[in-house]
Amino acid sequence: METTAMGHAEVHDHGHGPTGLKRWLTTTNHKDIGSMYLWFSFAMFIVGGIMALLIRAELFEPGLQFLDPERYNQIVTLHGLIMVFGAIMPAFVGFANWMIPMQIGASDMAFGRLNNWSFWLLIPASLLLVTSLFVPGGAAGVGWTLYPPLSIQMGMGMDLAIFSVHILGISSILGSINIITTILNLRAPGMTMMKMPMFAWTWLITAFLIIAVMPVFAGAVTMLLTDRHFGTSFFSAAGGGDPVLFQHVFWFFGHPEVYIVILPGFGIISQVISAFSRKPLFGYASMVYATASIAVLSFFVWGHHMFTSGMPVTGQLFYMYATMLIAIPTGVKVFNWIATMWRGTLTFETPMLFALGFIFLFTMGGFSGLVLAMTAVDVQMHNTYYVVAHFHYTMVAGALFSAFAAVYYWLPKWTGHMYNEKLGKVHFWLTMAFFNMTFFVQHFLGLAGMPRRIPDYALQFADFNRISSIGAFGLGISQLLFLYIVVSCIKGGPKAAAKPWDGAEGLEWDVPSPAPYHTWEIQPQVK
Amino acid sequence: MTKQARWAGMPRLAVAGLLALLSGATQAAYKLNFQQPATELAQEVYDLHVWMMWVCVSIFVVVFGVMFYSVIKHRKSLGGAPATFHENTRVEILWTAIPFVILMVLAWPVTKTLLSMRDSSNADITIKVTGYQWKWGYDYLKGEGAGIKFMSVLSTPQDQLDNKAPKNDNYLLEVDNHLIVPVGKKVRILTTSNDVIHGWYVPSLAVQQDAIPGFIRDTWFRADREGSFTGQCAQLCGKGHGYMPIVVDVVSAEKYAAWVAGQKQQMAAGAEDPNKVWPLADLMKHGEAVYAKNCVACHQASGKGIPSVFPALDGSKIATGAKLEHIKTVLNGRPGTAMAAFGQQLSDTDIAAVITFERNSWSNKTGDAIQPSEIKTERH
């Protein structure tokens, strides 16, 4: 790959647009928008995290201490919605905005104004969600799955959640259209599909998933809305409908959704592992195919979320076998990552630590997922804390860890400074330790039969809940260190080279650090 | 355990000591696996899970053995240049095929267990379980005991929920009326719901089935030992979701027969005379008990409800206005809200009493004594 002579002349040229707040409101620059996405995501991560801590504070010991049961249900619901739609998804869109144009040699995203619009839609959407706590009746206390008929009973907080989901859906669909168009049309000459970095590949596949399922979710909540206000009976048996219909439609969206939040993470991990092993990614083509197979399979497994809803045994068997199949491409990915490390020259900077933590913990989440796939065993674990532990191993240790890896990996490129490596490592080890303290014990709670989404519990669950709550507060407080590291890296620090990681590959390392406001105005040539 | 004993135990087992230190009220055994199975199927599930855990642990150890070997041996500080290999089709095929075989081996016994789990035919006793916000109703439909029906409500005292009294060992896992079933008999459970989706979940029996309004689902169990087994509602069903436990007592055939006989006798004796005229004081007393069981979760003991979530009864239009509107609301509920239809749950006398109670408590002073006959005429 060739470094062009573009660069320094352009570093200072972003004085031609509006300044101050107006700059951010009107910007069409992928880096500006990427930064806004990332800060928004972090803010939502804090909001959702505070909610998680409220939950854990309430569950610290038996009895009700801080929240009454309705508030508890509302906080559980908002924690889920905010973390999935406010924190994780925007974080990956932020990375995509920043990195995909740089990685494929494009000067910006394909649709600048659309990009701006997709970001700014997030603000009203998240405001609707958060302010729903304060309307009469409070927020929806139904869980992020929004199952009727309970969601039909809710007050106006439910309507706000529905509109919020609509807006979030529009935002992510627009973002996906932009990403797909950018990747398919704006690649530099020579950047063939099978030369693209894994992050671009996984995002391309994710974007198709989003476009496929977000409208389905929007449809499901619209049906809820009309059942609530306009006299329809989609989900009411009394009017000829069926509450379980909602579950089918929801999970047809919901299962691909969990891959939407993890696939871009797979891409990040692939690049980080390869960079710090100083060895090309093992089995690049098989990684691409594995990602695509996971995406395709994700459309055929939704029934495993409904093993106790009542379905014919043949249906249960189908969903069980289909779900088990997902273990194969996922396993292929893990094996390829390990083969990438094999006989490499490994160093363990913070991004690498988070990547290794990701592989280790995500695999545990994969195994508990395999156990949950077994219908006969699942009946004992469905709706228990085992499930809570499982999906936090995939979403926190999966999506969040990969987001941390990405931030540390690309922070020098964004800011032009190196972050404090020592503190980064401390952040990793604290996060790792407290994460496991919080969530590992929840497996035992689930095995012992503690249902999820309860504000108070029987005495035999007390000890593990206490450990979990202590861990959660440690996990939460450790993230302030992350904020400190990032902010001080933005403010200063040792100058970062254009390619601060000697094993890193890709066009993004051919532009100077910090990356100038406009990059690749002249397309690079990839050989 | 005394404080001294707890501290004395510390050095022996660091982990147990830490747990003991962290545990306040309870010293219960630390469960690291499923609850003790009480049916053959539950035992199968238990064994399947243990077996799967070991398979997963073995794979985990092998895979991460390789990874940590690499982390230790292939680090840069040990010198050496990185290898450059980056693909091998044979290896890719191998690590696609081997997991596939392992998965087939795992799926086979699970499939067998699942098939027997779903075969609810030839049941000895059939019981319909109805989920209500937030209690369970049991109707014995077929087999010995057919005709028995009752409601089952959390019996943990409010003081314990409010942290005003020490919590007892069965905190949140105790109900007034237990579900009684005979040992060794196949019991088929039909689940349904009166309002929102609930989940009937008893871990020791390896039974979890959602209760869906307007539909009937089924599951079954055959307990192979006597005992009392607890479970909880598994599907989020509103504010009382954590407060609708399940207690199943598995008893011997003789005890079961005696229980059935007792129930039948009670039902015969308790058959109410709908035309009886009750004095206000008796209605108030009975009504207070009914209110405490059925209404207090939402409308609160104070009658003030929860602002903008559950309406107050104290001084409300319904509870101080026309009697008929009040009776209709209790009988038929308010569709689209959490207000359930109590017509199917409570007897004429219960409803008459609770309405009387509501119309004459707190600041409500209507002086109405609603009689069971008035309820009867409003039923349709």
Side-chain angles (χ1 to χ4, degrees), chain B residues 132-295:
Chain B
Y132 296 90
Q133 284 174 316
W134 292 279
K135 53 189 168 276
W136 295 100
Y138 298 109
D139 285 80
Y140 289 63
L141 297 182
K142 271 193 204 160
E144 192 180 359
I148 295 173
K149 58 192 282 184
F150 54 85
M151 304 294 285
S152 180
V153 183
L154 177 76
S155 62
T156 301
Q158 190 66 37
D159 280 358
Q160 295 187 17
L161 301 180
D162 295 341
N163 305 320
K164 286 177 191 147
K167 301 184 191 327
N168 79 82
D169 284 347
N170 294 321
Y171 177 70
L172 291 186
L173 292 178
E174 48 193 347
V175 295
D176 54 355
N177 298 315
H178 297 190
L179 181 68
I180 313 283
V181 295
V183 71
K185 295 278 196 242
K186 185 164 183 175
V187 179
R188 184 177 181 219
I189 298 286
L190 304 177
T191 64
T192 187
S193 166
N194 189 53
D195 33 55
V196 301
I197 298 174
H198 301 271
W200 202 75
Y201 171 44
V202 184
S204 292
L205 305 175
V207 165
Q208 181 180 167
Q209 185 61 56
D210 288 3
I212 295 162
F215 293 87
I216 305 255
R217 308 286 196 221
D218 79 338
T219 181
W220 68 275
F221 62 89
R222 187 199 303 271
D224 53 19
R225 64 187 168 93
E226 294 173 33
S228 191
F229 306 103
T230 57
Q232 286 177 266
C233 178
Q235 280 287 7
L236 179 58
C237 55
K239 72 181 278 269
H241 168 52
Y243 304 93
M244 48 185 292
I246 298 151
V247 182
V248 181
D249 285 352
V250 177
V251 299
S252 66
E254 301 78 50
K255 271 197 194 156
Y256 183 70
W259 176 77
V260 169
Q263 287 289 312
K264 296 250 154 146
Q265 215 174 8
Q266 246 182 40
M267 282 163 68
E272 299 159 353
D273 174 6
N275 297 318
K276 181 181 167 187
V277 177
W278 291 56
L280 180 63
D282 289 2
L283 283 170
M284 286 294 288
K285 192 164 167 245
H286 184 55
E288 186 171 9
V290 176
Y291 185 85
K293 248 187 203 177
N294 296 286
C295 316

Side-chain angles (χ1 to χ4, degrees), chain A residues 64 70 137 153 279 283 286 308-309 311 316 321 336 343-346 379-380 382-383 448 453 456 463 466, chain B residues 22-23 30 35 74 76 82-83 86 92 111 118 133 163 171 201 203 208-210 217 234 238 241 306 308:
Chain A
L64 292 180
E70 307 90 88
Q153 284 183 354
K279 209 166 138 267
S286 90
T308 66
S309 299
M311 70 172 82
Q316 289 182 323
Y321 297 147
N336 276 323
R343 289 181 51 214
T345 334
L346 278 60
V379 167
Q380 282 271 52
H382 212 86
N383 293 316
R453 296 166 168 171
D456 195 4
D463 303 315
R466 190 164 297 199
Chain B
L22 290 166
S23 74
Y30 303 106
Q35 293 184 16
H74 301 146
K76 193 181 179 196
H86 58 86
E92 299 284 352
T111 304
R118 291 303 305 276
Q133 284 174 316
N163 305 320
Y171 177 70
Y201 171 44
Q208 181 180 167
Q209 185 61 56
D210 288 3
R217 308 286 196 221
H241 168 52
I306 292 172
S308 67

